[in-house]
Amino acid sequence: MLIDGTAIAAEVRAEVASGVETFRQRRGRVPVLRVVLLGDNPASQSYVRAKKRAAEEVGIDAETLLKPADMSQSAMLALLAELNEAPNVDGILVQLPLPDHIDEGAIIRALDPAKDVDGFHPENVGKLVLGDDTLEPCTPAGIVEMLKRSNVETSGAHAVVVGRSNIVGKPMASLLLRRGLDCTVTVCHSRTRNLAEITRQADILVAAIGRAEFVTADMVREGATVIDVGINRVEDLTRERGYRLVGDVDFEAVREKAAAITPVPGGVGPMTIAMLLANTLTAAQRRTA
Ligand SMILES: NC(=O)C1=CN([C@@H]2O[C@H](COP(=O)(O)OP(=O)(O)OC[C@H]3O[C@@H](n4cnc5c(N)ncnc54)[C@H](OP(=O)(O)O)[C@@H]3O)[C@@H](O)[C@H]2O)C=CC1
Ligand SMILES: Nc1nc(=O)c2c([nH]1)NC[C@@H]1CN(c3ccc(C(=O)N[C@@H](CCC(=O)O)C(=O)O)cc3)C=[N+]21
């Protein structure tokens, strides 16, 4: 089975749109999202454009604050303080990665946790691990939504997460471990010994590695559910853009063995954006409750 992220994301967006409409009727305004982007990285620009377009389609007021790549850390902190204090701003997203002269941790700590729609602030990360209600990181939250809506059995399942980043691997592991999802979770990374032996034990395999087609068929158990988080550009001069997108999974080979698999594009990516919109609505509702 193909897990269609594009279709599931459209469902989530329709639900958000109806929530936004209710919010507007009750509060007399719409939720407001501000996206901060430093520099002109083309991939970042295209993600940010997609986020803004999706937000507008569900009725969220979204603006991108495009800043020069050499903006100083103190100017960035001042901008965030302004957005934190703005009563009408519900959600703030700082597009990552940031230029090297900026301390990413310091920027994330400077966000008002109530407006942190990425769920990256230490207070929100703490709540996530504790199992408290919080704004959940969009990519792992989107994966949970895909698993639920595709009726993938998680209770007691062995979930193997490859990747331990703060934005995907670690929060993914925390969510899968939670009561309600109840997976047995293994987290792997670049120092893991016998990786293939471990991934072959997965009922649910989440690949968040950042290496094109890294997960091959021999690493996957027959009947597993495979979630491909990777977004890798590989040169393809037959395409207009000069590249195509591939995931961290060798899709054609692995789909023969997997019971369910997410494609790239059209898998986790659209879900990440849909969950950002859901988090923006949630932040607006909680701030005005
Ligand atoms: N679809 C979406 O919405 C999103 C997609 N992405 C994509 O997902 C991928 C992962 O992103 P992100 O988590 O930010 O990436 P990072 O580069 O931050 O993390 C990659 C992880 O993979 C591990 N890793 C690298 N090589 C190996 C290896 N040979 N064997 C086992 N583990 C390995 C690293 O281990 P170590 O810690 O030891 O270095 C690290 O933990 C990227 O392709 C990114 O573009 C990211 C965010 C959202
Ligand atoms: N603060 C922050 N929050 C993020 O959530 C964040 C970030 N920084 N930095 C970069 C990563 C990456 N990311 C993606 C979102 C959507 C797609 C997506 O929709 N991809 C489409 C394809 C898009 C295309 O064609 O280029 C798809 O997979 O179908 C991909 C990647 C969010 N990230």
Side-chain angles (χ1 to χ4, degrees):
M1 176 187 53
L2 196 68
I3 302 181
D4 184 344
T6 305
I8 301 172
E11 276 174 35
V12 172
R13 288 198 307 270
E15 291 162 20
V16 174
S18 114
V20 167
E21 179 51 22
T22 304
F23 181 90
R24 192 187 62 76
Q25 285 169 10
R26 291 198 184 143
R27 314 279 177 198
R29 67 175 188 90
V30 298
V32 173
L33 172 67
R34 293 295 176 257
V35 178
V36 180
L37 173 59
L38 260 59
D40 51 9
N41 176 303
S44 294
Q45 283 188 325
S46 98
Y47 295 147
V48 165
R49 263 199 309 275
K51 287 171 183 173
K52 180 170 157 61
R53 191 181 334 118
E56 282 168 349
E57 274 171 26
V58 300
I60 290 172
D61 172 341
E63 285 306 335
T64 304
L65 307 173
L66 243 177
K67 300 293 172 186
D70 63 358
M71 186 186 203
S72 70
Q73 176 153 326
S74 60
M76 178 91 177
L77 290 172
L79 171 64
L80 294 180
E82 202 181 298
L83 293 170
N84 283 343
E85 279 154 29
N88 67 319
V89 173
D90 298 298
I92 307 168
L93 182 146
V94 178
Q95 184 69 17
L96 302 179
L98 288 167
D100 288 343
H101 69 279
I102 293 192
D103 175 356
E104 224 159 74
I107 296 301
I108 289 168
R109 284 191 299 277
L111 291 169
D112 177 351
K115 298 188 178 187
D116 168 32
V117 287
D118 266 326
F120 293 165
H121 189 283
E123 182 177 317
N124 289 325
V125 176
K127 286 181 175 172
L128 182 83
V129 174
L130 292 172
D132 293 350
D133 214 13
T134 185
L135 295 168
E136 295 171 0
C138 302
T139 300
I143 292 168
V144 168
E145 227 27 69
M146 292 173 107
L147 293 172
K148 285 185 179 162
R149 291 177 194 238
S150 310
N151 297 314
V152 173
E153 175 69 85
T154 57
S155 183
H158 186 191
V160 176
V161 179
V162 189
R164 57 172 161 179
S165 72
N166 291 338
I167 79 167
V168 188
K170 279 189 223 164
M172 183 78 265
S174 291
L175 283 175
L176 292 168
L177 186 59
R178 272 185 162 191
R179 224 172 268 286
L181 286 171
D182 299 304
C183 290
T184 301
V185 180
T186 302
V187 184
C188 302
H189 48 78
S190 67
R191 301 296 182 94
T192 296
R193 286 193 201 122
N194 305 322
L195 180 65
E197 217 168 89
I198 297 169
T199 58
R200 272 198 296 271
Q201 293 169 30
D203 301 305
I204 299 170
L205 179 60
V206 179
I209 306 160
R211 289 166 169 256
E213 300 176 329
F214 182 87
V215 174
T216 47
D218 60 299
M219 296 170 73
V220 177
R221 188 217 295 258
E222 188 89 41
T225 295
V226 179
I227 307 293
D228 190 353
V229 184
I231 302 276
N232 307 289
R233 289 183 171 195
V234 303
E235 187 179 79
D236 182 347
L237 298 174
T238 69
R239 305 287 175 105
E240 197 178 329
R241 304 192 283 192
Y243 66 86
R244 67 195 157 88
L245 291 184
V246 302
D248 289 346
V249 174
D250 180 354
F251 180 80
E252 289 307 329
V254 170
R255 78 179 303 183
E256 304 293 324
K257 283 180 102 174
I261 185 168
T262 65
V264 176
V268 175
M271 290 302 296
T272 297
I273 296 180
M275 299 314 286
L276 167 67
L277 309 179
N279 277 353
T280 304
L281 173 61
T282 300
Q285 289 167 334
R286 290 188 186 155
R287 287 185 65 250
T288 52

